[in-house]
Amino acid sequence: MSEIREGMEVIGADGVHVGTVDRLDGDRIKLTRRENTGAHSDHHHYIEKGFVAGVEGDKVRLSANADIAVTLEEEESGKPVHL
């Protein structure tokens, strides 16, 4: 996971954009806020590093497709995001 850096694109296993890395925070990837919309726009979302399948150049590829990956996101409290 040392390859993951700020500004990298996070994509699902299907290649669809999920978010952008803000930074690593313990065992989670903190995503930037600027892409969050609606009720979730005022805080960061996180993805557990366990969902990372690999790093390909400047992209972090997840083991789940994007539509599933967004349901795996957590809020700052560690609670799942309910979309």
Side-chain angles (χ1 to χ4, degrees):
M1 293 307 141
S2 62
E3 300 173 64
I4 299 174
R5 299 176 315 280
E6 178 182 346
M8 294 180 87
E9 180 181 15
V10 179
I11 58 173
D14 53 359
V16 175
H17 179 83
V18 172
T20 303
V21 174
D22 185 0
R23 64 182 173 88
L24 294 179
D25 186 6
D27 289 335
R28 304 185 299 173
I29 298 170
K30 183 178 185 180
L31 301 177
T32 60
R33 273 198 263 191
R34 64 179 160 252
E35 295 182 75
N36 298 342
T37 58
H40 299 282
S41 63
D42 62 341
H43 53 264
H44 291 275
H45 291 169
Y46 296 79
I47 301 237
E48 292 289 332
K49 286 196 235 178
F51 293 114
V52 174
V55 175
E56 302 169 1
D58 62 347
K59 297 182 190 304
V60 178
R61 183 173 296 274
L62 302 177
S63 58
N65 286 345
D67 60 341
I68 301 300
V70 295
T71 67
L72 302 173
E73 290 180 6
E74 297 178 346
E75 295 183 347
E76 291 173 285
S77 65
K79 294 180 181 177
V81 174
H82 299 286
L83 302 174

